[in-house]
Short mmCIF file of all heavy atoms in Angstrom, two decimals:
data_model
loop_
_atom_site.label_atom_id
_atom_site.label_comp_id
_atom_site.label_asym_id
_atom_site.label_seq_id
_atom_site.Cartn_x
_atom_site.Cartn_y
_atom_site.Cartn_z
N MET A 1 78.57 164.91 -78.55
CA MET A 1 77.82 165.62 -77.54
C MET A 1 76.91 164.63 -76.86
O MET A 1 76.03 164.03 -77.49
CB MET A 1 77.03 166.75 -78.17
CG MET A 1 76.31 167.63 -77.19
SD MET A 1 75.94 169.27 -77.81
CE MET A 1 74.40 169.00 -78.59
N GLY A 2 77.07 164.43 -75.57
CA GLY A 2 76.32 163.44 -74.85
C GLY A 2 74.96 163.96 -74.38
O GLY A 2 74.63 165.14 -74.54
N PRO A 3 74.20 163.07 -73.76
CA PRO A 3 72.88 163.49 -73.27
C PRO A 3 72.93 164.55 -72.18
O PRO A 3 72.04 165.38 -72.04
CB PRO A 3 72.25 162.19 -72.74
CG PRO A 3 73.28 161.15 -72.82
CD PRO A 3 74.44 161.67 -73.56
N GLY A 4 74.03 164.57 -71.42
CA GLY A 4 74.19 165.62 -70.40
C GLY A 4 74.24 167.00 -70.98
O GLY A 4 73.71 167.98 -70.43
N HIS A 5 74.94 167.12 -72.09
CA HIS A 5 75.03 168.41 -72.76
C HIS A 5 73.69 168.85 -73.31
O HIS A 5 73.31 170.02 -73.24
CB HIS A 5 76.05 168.34 -73.88
CG HIS A 5 77.46 168.22 -73.46
ND1 HIS A 5 78.12 167.00 -73.43
CD2 HIS A 5 78.33 169.12 -72.93
CE1 HIS A 5 79.32 167.17 -72.97
NE2 HIS A 5 79.48 168.47 -72.64
N ARG A 6 72.97 167.90 -73.85
CA ARG A 6 71.65 168.21 -74.41
C ARG A 6 70.66 168.64 -73.34
O ARG A 6 69.89 169.55 -73.52
CB ARG A 6 71.12 167.01 -75.20
CG ARG A 6 71.93 166.69 -76.39
CD ARG A 6 71.44 165.48 -77.09
NE ARG A 6 72.38 165.16 -78.19
CZ ARG A 6 72.77 163.95 -78.49
NH1 ARG A 6 72.36 162.91 -77.80
NH2 ARG A 6 73.61 163.75 -79.48
N VAL A 7 70.72 167.97 -72.20
CA VAL A 7 69.87 168.37 -71.07
C VAL A 7 70.26 169.76 -70.58
O VAL A 7 69.37 170.59 -70.29
CB VAL A 7 69.95 167.33 -69.91
CG1 VAL A 7 69.27 167.84 -68.66
CG2 VAL A 7 69.36 166.01 -70.35
N GLY A 8 71.52 170.06 -70.54
CA GLY A 8 71.99 171.39 -70.15
C GLY A 8 71.54 172.50 -71.08
O GLY A 8 71.13 173.57 -70.64
N ILE A 9 71.57 172.20 -72.38
CA ILE A 9 71.10 173.24 -73.32
C ILE A 9 69.60 173.44 -73.19
O ILE A 9 69.13 174.57 -73.21
CB ILE A 9 71.47 172.77 -74.75
CG1 ILE A 9 72.98 172.84 -74.97
CG2 ILE A 9 70.73 173.60 -75.79
CD1 ILE A 9 73.46 172.20 -76.24
N ALA A 10 68.85 172.36 -73.02
CA ALA A 10 67.41 172.53 -72.85
C ALA A 10 67.09 173.26 -71.54
O ALA A 10 66.15 174.09 -71.49
CB ALA A 10 66.72 171.11 -72.82
N ALA A 11 67.89 173.03 -70.49
CA ALA A 11 67.65 173.75 -69.25
C ALA A 11 67.93 175.25 -69.41
O ALA A 11 67.20 176.09 -68.88
CB ALA A 11 68.55 173.14 -68.15
N LEU A 12 68.99 175.58 -70.17
CA LEU A 12 69.27 177.00 -70.43
C LEU A 12 68.15 177.66 -71.24
O LEU A 12 67.80 178.82 -71.00
CB LEU A 12 70.59 177.14 -71.17
CG LEU A 12 71.84 176.87 -70.36
CD1 LEU A 12 73.08 176.89 -71.24
CD2 LEU A 12 72.00 177.83 -69.24
N LEU A 13 67.57 176.89 -72.15
CA LEU A 13 66.45 177.45 -72.93
C LEU A 13 65.22 177.65 -72.07
O LEU A 13 64.46 178.61 -72.26
CB LEU A 13 66.14 176.52 -74.12
CG LEU A 13 67.20 176.52 -75.20
CD1 LEU A 13 66.94 175.42 -76.22
CD2 LEU A 13 67.27 177.85 -75.87
N VAL A 14 65.01 176.77 -71.09
CA VAL A 14 63.88 176.96 -70.14
C VAL A 14 64.09 178.26 -69.37
O VAL A 14 63.18 179.08 -69.22
CB VAL A 14 63.76 175.76 -69.18
CG1 VAL A 14 62.84 176.07 -68.03
CG2 VAL A 14 63.27 174.54 -69.96
N ILE A 15 65.32 178.46 -68.88
CA ILE A 15 65.60 179.71 -68.12
C ILE A 15 65.41 180.93 -69.01
O ILE A 15 64.86 181.95 -68.57
CB ILE A 15 67.04 179.63 -67.54
CG1 ILE A 15 67.08 178.52 -66.50
CG2 ILE A 15 67.44 180.94 -66.97
CD1 ILE A 15 68.49 178.17 -66.04
N ALA A 16 65.89 180.84 -70.23
CA ALA A 16 65.74 181.99 -71.18
C ALA A 16 64.24 182.31 -71.43
O ALA A 16 63.88 183.46 -71.54
CB ALA A 16 66.44 181.71 -72.49
N ASN A 17 63.44 181.26 -71.48
CA ASN A 17 62.02 181.52 -71.74
C ASN A 17 61.33 182.10 -70.52
O ASN A 17 60.28 182.79 -70.67
CB ASN A 17 61.32 180.22 -72.20
CG ASN A 17 61.49 180.02 -73.66
OD1 ASN A 17 61.02 180.85 -74.44
ND2 ASN A 17 62.15 178.95 -74.05
N PHE A 18 61.81 181.87 -69.31
CA PHE A 18 61.25 182.51 -68.14
C PHE A 18 61.41 184.03 -68.27
O PHE A 18 60.60 184.80 -67.74
CB PHE A 18 61.90 182.01 -66.85
CG PHE A 18 61.24 180.81 -66.28
CD1 PHE A 18 61.87 179.60 -66.25
CD2 PHE A 18 59.95 180.90 -65.76
CE1 PHE A 18 61.25 178.46 -65.71
CE2 PHE A 18 59.33 179.79 -65.22
CZ PHE A 18 59.98 178.57 -65.22
N LEU A 19 62.46 184.46 -68.93
CA LEU A 19 62.70 185.90 -69.05
C LEU A 19 61.71 186.56 -70.03
O LEU A 19 61.48 187.78 -69.98
CB LEU A 19 64.15 186.17 -69.49
CG LEU A 19 65.20 185.69 -68.52
CD1 LEU A 19 66.58 185.89 -69.12
CD2 LEU A 19 65.11 186.38 -67.19
N THR A 20 61.15 185.80 -70.94
CA THR A 20 60.23 186.36 -71.94
C THR A 20 58.78 186.19 -71.57
O THR A 20 57.92 186.60 -72.38
CB THR A 20 60.51 185.73 -73.31
OG1 THR A 20 60.24 184.32 -73.24
CG2 THR A 20 61.91 185.93 -73.79
N ILE A 21 58.45 185.67 -70.41
CA ILE A 21 57.07 185.51 -70.01
C ILE A 21 56.27 186.80 -70.01
O ILE A 21 55.14 186.83 -70.47
CB ILE A 21 56.96 184.72 -68.66
CG1 ILE A 21 57.29 183.24 -68.87
CG2 ILE A 21 55.57 184.86 -68.07
CD1 ILE A 21 57.27 182.44 -67.61
N PRO A 22 56.85 187.89 -69.50
CA PRO A 22 56.04 189.15 -69.52
C PRO A 22 55.69 189.64 -70.94
O PRO A 22 54.67 190.32 -71.10
CB PRO A 22 56.93 190.18 -68.83
CG PRO A 22 57.93 189.36 -68.05
CD PRO A 22 58.10 188.10 -68.79
N TYR A 23 56.48 189.30 -71.92
CA TYR A 23 56.26 189.80 -73.26
C TYR A 23 55.42 188.83 -74.13
O TYR A 23 54.59 189.29 -74.91
CB TYR A 23 57.60 190.06 -73.96
CG TYR A 23 58.49 190.96 -73.10
CD1 TYR A 23 59.61 190.42 -72.46
CD2 TYR A 23 58.17 192.28 -72.90
CE1 TYR A 23 60.43 191.20 -71.67
CE2 TYR A 23 58.97 193.09 -72.11
CZ TYR A 23 60.10 192.55 -71.50
OH TYR A 23 60.86 193.33 -70.68
N TYR A 24 55.69 187.55 -74.02
CA TYR A 24 54.99 186.53 -74.80
C TYR A 24 54.55 185.38 -73.84
O TYR A 24 55.18 184.32 -73.84
CB TYR A 24 55.90 185.94 -75.87
CG TYR A 24 56.51 186.99 -76.78
CD1 TYR A 24 57.83 187.31 -76.68
CD2 TYR A 24 55.71 187.59 -77.75
CE1 TYR A 24 58.39 188.28 -77.49
CE2 TYR A 24 56.26 188.58 -78.59
CZ TYR A 24 57.60 188.89 -78.46
OH TYR A 24 58.15 189.85 -79.27
N PRO A 25 53.54 185.60 -73.02
CA PRO A 25 53.22 184.60 -72.00
C PRO A 25 52.80 183.22 -72.54
O PRO A 25 53.30 182.19 -72.05
CB PRO A 25 52.07 185.23 -71.22
CG PRO A 25 51.54 186.30 -72.06
CD PRO A 25 52.65 186.72 -72.99
N VAL A 26 51.94 183.18 -73.51
CA VAL A 26 51.44 181.88 -74.00
C VAL A 26 52.59 181.14 -74.71
O VAL A 26 52.80 179.93 -74.48
CB VAL A 26 50.22 182.06 -74.96
CG1 VAL A 26 49.82 180.75 -75.59
CG2 VAL A 26 49.09 182.70 -74.21
N TRP A 27 53.29 181.84 -75.58
CA TRP A 27 54.36 181.20 -76.32
C TRP A 27 55.49 180.74 -75.37
O TRP A 27 56.06 179.62 -75.55
CB TRP A 27 54.92 182.18 -77.36
CG TRP A 27 55.98 181.57 -78.25
CD1 TRP A 27 57.30 181.98 -78.31
CD2 TRP A 27 55.86 180.52 -79.16
NE1 TRP A 27 57.96 181.21 -79.19
CE2 TRP A 27 57.11 180.30 -79.75
CE3 TRP A 27 54.81 179.69 -79.54
CZ2 TRP A 27 57.33 179.29 -80.70
CZ3 TRP A 27 55.02 178.71 -80.47
CH2 TRP A 27 56.29 178.51 -81.04
N SER A 28 55.82 181.52 -74.39
CA SER A 28 56.88 181.16 -73.43
C SER A 28 56.47 179.93 -72.64
O SER A 28 57.30 179.02 -72.47
CB SER A 28 57.16 182.33 -72.48
OG SER A 28 57.67 183.43 -73.18
N LEU A 29 55.27 179.87 -72.14
CA LEU A 29 54.84 178.71 -71.36
C LEU A 29 54.76 177.47 -72.22
O LEU A 29 55.06 176.35 -71.79
CB LEU A 29 53.49 179.00 -70.69
CG LEU A 29 53.53 180.10 -69.63
CD1 LEU A 29 52.13 180.38 -69.10
CD2 LEU A 29 54.47 179.67 -68.50
N THR A 30 54.37 177.65 -73.51
CA THR A 30 54.35 176.49 -74.44
C THR A 30 55.76 175.95 -74.63
O THR A 30 55.96 174.74 -74.57
CB THR A 30 53.74 176.91 -75.76
OG1 THR A 30 52.44 177.45 -75.56
CG2 THR A 30 53.68 175.76 -76.72
N LEU A 31 56.71 176.82 -74.84
CA LEU A 31 58.11 176.37 -75.03
C LEU A 31 58.69 175.76 -73.78
O LEU A 31 59.45 174.81 -73.85
CB LEU A 31 58.94 177.50 -75.56
CG LEU A 31 58.72 177.90 -77.01
CD1 LEU A 31 59.60 179.10 -77.39
CD2 LEU A 31 58.96 176.76 -77.94
N ILE A 32 58.35 176.32 -72.62
CA ILE A 32 58.86 175.76 -71.36
C ILE A 32 58.32 174.32 -71.20
O ILE A 32 59.08 173.43 -70.83
CB ILE A 32 58.45 176.64 -70.17
CG1 ILE A 32 59.27 177.92 -70.21
CG2 ILE A 32 58.66 175.92 -68.86
CD1 ILE A 32 58.79 178.99 -69.25
N ALA A 33 57.07 174.12 -71.51
CA ALA A 33 56.52 172.76 -71.44
C ALA A 33 57.15 171.83 -72.42
O ALA A 33 57.47 170.66 -72.13
CB ALA A 33 55.00 172.83 -71.67
N LEU A 34 57.43 172.32 -73.63
CA LEU A 34 58.08 171.53 -74.64
C LEU A 34 59.49 171.13 -74.21
O LEU A 34 59.90 169.96 -74.33
CB LEU A 34 58.12 172.27 -75.98
CG LEU A 34 58.83 171.57 -77.13
CD1 LEU A 34 58.06 170.35 -77.58
CD2 LEU A 34 59.06 172.51 -78.27
N TYR A 35 60.25 172.08 -73.72
CA TYR A 35 61.63 171.82 -73.27
C TYR A 35 61.63 170.87 -72.06
O TYR A 35 62.53 170.05 -71.94
CB TYR A 35 62.38 173.11 -72.99
CG TYR A 35 62.60 173.98 -74.17
CD1 TYR A 35 62.49 175.36 -74.12
CD2 TYR A 35 62.93 173.40 -75.41
CE1 TYR A 35 62.69 176.13 -75.24
CE2 TYR A 35 63.16 174.19 -76.53
CZ TYR A 35 63.04 175.55 -76.44
OH TYR A 35 63.22 176.33 -77.54
N ALA A 36 60.62 171.00 -71.19
CA ALA A 36 60.54 170.08 -70.05
C ALA A 36 60.28 168.65 -70.56
O ALA A 36 60.86 167.69 -70.04
CB ALA A 36 59.43 170.51 -69.10
N PHE A 37 59.46 168.52 -71.61
CA PHE A 37 59.26 167.20 -72.21
C PHE A 37 60.54 166.66 -72.83
O PHE A 37 60.86 165.47 -72.71
CB PHE A 37 58.14 167.26 -73.23
CG PHE A 37 57.80 165.97 -73.89
CD1 PHE A 37 57.19 164.95 -73.21
CD2 PHE A 37 58.24 165.72 -75.17
CE1 PHE A 37 56.95 163.73 -73.84
CE2 PHE A 37 58.00 164.54 -75.78
CZ PHE A 37 57.34 163.53 -75.13
N VAL A 38 61.29 167.53 -73.47
CA VAL A 38 62.56 167.10 -74.09
C VAL A 38 63.54 166.66 -73.00
O VAL A 38 64.22 165.63 -73.15
CB VAL A 38 63.17 168.25 -74.92
CG1 VAL A 38 64.62 168.00 -75.30
CG2 VAL A 38 62.34 168.55 -76.16
N ILE A 39 63.60 167.37 -71.90
CA ILE A 39 64.50 166.99 -70.80
C ILE A 39 64.09 165.63 -70.24
O ILE A 39 64.93 164.77 -70.00
CB ILE A 39 64.53 168.04 -69.68
CG1 ILE A 39 65.23 169.32 -70.20
CG2 ILE A 39 65.19 167.55 -68.44
CD1 ILE A 39 65.10 170.51 -69.29
N ARG A 40 62.78 165.44 -70.07
CA ARG A 40 62.32 164.15 -69.56
C ARG A 40 62.63 163.01 -70.55
O ARG A 40 63.11 161.96 -70.16
CB ARG A 40 60.79 164.18 -69.31
CG ARG A 40 60.27 162.91 -68.78
CD ARG A 40 58.75 162.91 -68.75
NE ARG A 40 58.24 161.62 -68.31
CZ ARG A 40 58.11 160.56 -69.10
NH1 ARG A 40 58.46 160.63 -70.34
NH2 ARG A 40 57.66 159.43 -68.64
N ALA A 41 62.44 163.28 -71.83
CA ALA A 41 62.70 162.26 -72.83
C ALA A 41 64.19 161.92 -72.87
O ALA A 41 64.57 160.74 -73.04
CB ALA A 41 62.24 162.71 -74.20
N LEU A 42 65.06 162.89 -72.68
CA LEU A 42 66.50 162.61 -72.69
C LEU A 42 66.93 161.82 -71.45
O LEU A 42 67.86 161.04 -71.51
CB LEU A 42 67.27 163.93 -72.80
CG LEU A 42 67.25 164.61 -74.14
CD1 LEU A 42 67.91 165.99 -74.03
CD2 LEU A 42 67.97 163.76 -75.17
N CYS A 43 66.23 162.07 -70.36
CA CYS A 43 66.63 161.41 -69.09
C CYS A 43 66.11 159.96 -69.00
O CYS A 43 66.73 159.15 -68.32
CB CYS A 43 66.14 162.24 -67.91
SG CYS A 43 66.99 163.78 -67.71
N VAL A 44 65.00 159.63 -69.62
CA VAL A 44 64.46 158.32 -69.49
C VAL A 44 64.70 157.45 -70.74
O VAL A 44 64.25 156.33 -70.80
CB VAL A 44 62.94 158.32 -69.17
CG1 VAL A 44 62.69 159.05 -67.90
CG2 VAL A 44 62.17 158.93 -70.31
N ALA A 45 65.41 157.95 -71.72
CA ALA A 45 65.66 157.19 -72.95
C ALA A 45 66.51 156.00 -72.62
O ALA A 45 67.43 156.09 -71.83
CB ALA A 45 66.35 158.06 -74.00
N PRO A 46 66.20 154.83 -73.22
CA PRO A 46 67.02 153.66 -72.97
C PRO A 46 68.43 153.84 -73.54
O PRO A 46 68.62 154.44 -74.59
CB PRO A 46 66.27 152.56 -73.70
CG PRO A 46 65.43 153.23 -74.73
CD PRO A 46 65.11 154.59 -74.15
N ARG A 47 69.37 153.30 -72.85
CA ARG A 47 70.76 153.40 -73.26
C ARG A 47 71.08 152.29 -74.24
O ARG A 47 70.67 151.16 -74.06
CB ARG A 47 71.72 153.31 -72.05
CG ARG A 47 71.38 154.23 -70.95
CD ARG A 47 72.15 155.51 -71.10
NE ARG A 47 71.82 156.37 -69.97
CZ ARG A 47 72.00 157.64 -70.02
NH1 ARG A 47 72.50 158.19 -71.07
NH2 ARG A 47 71.69 158.37 -68.98
N GLU A 48 71.80 152.61 -75.25
CA GLU A 48 72.25 151.59 -76.22
C GLU A 48 73.51 150.93 -75.70
O GLU A 48 74.39 151.57 -75.10
CB GLU A 48 72.51 152.23 -77.58
CG GLU A 48 71.25 152.76 -78.23
CD GLU A 48 71.56 153.27 -79.64
OE1 GLU A 48 72.55 152.84 -80.22
OE2 GLU A 48 70.73 154.05 -80.12
N PRO A 49 73.64 149.62 -75.92
CA PRO A 49 74.84 148.94 -75.39
C PRO A 49 76.10 149.29 -76.16
O PRO A 49 76.13 149.80 -77.19
CB PRO A 49 74.50 147.44 -75.58
CG PRO A 49 73.36 147.40 -76.51
CD PRO A 49 72.72 148.75 -76.52
#
């Protein structure tokens, strides 16, 4: 599973957490921020040769 798949999964989790904002606002926003950090980390990670 490459980094593209991992970014896609994290993006789907961000979208899923937008649906739970009315029920769990603090927890949902915390997870959205965490998944955004994961996406950023996957996109800027150095590539191994």
Side-chain angles (χ1 to χ4, degrees):
M1 186 157 87
H5 291 101
R6 294 177 185 137
V7 170
I9 291 171
L12 288 174
L13 290 170
V14 167
I15 293 169
N17 276 299
F18 272 112
L19 299 175
T20 62
I21 286 177
Y23 307 108
Y24 306 105
V26 175
W27 183 245
S28 296
L29 293 176
T30 303
L31 286 178
I32 289 170
L34 177 69
Y35 294 140
F37 180 74
V38 167
I39 291 170
R40 181 188 175 279
L42 287 172
C43 291
V44 300
R47 308 268 181 200
E48 292 186 21

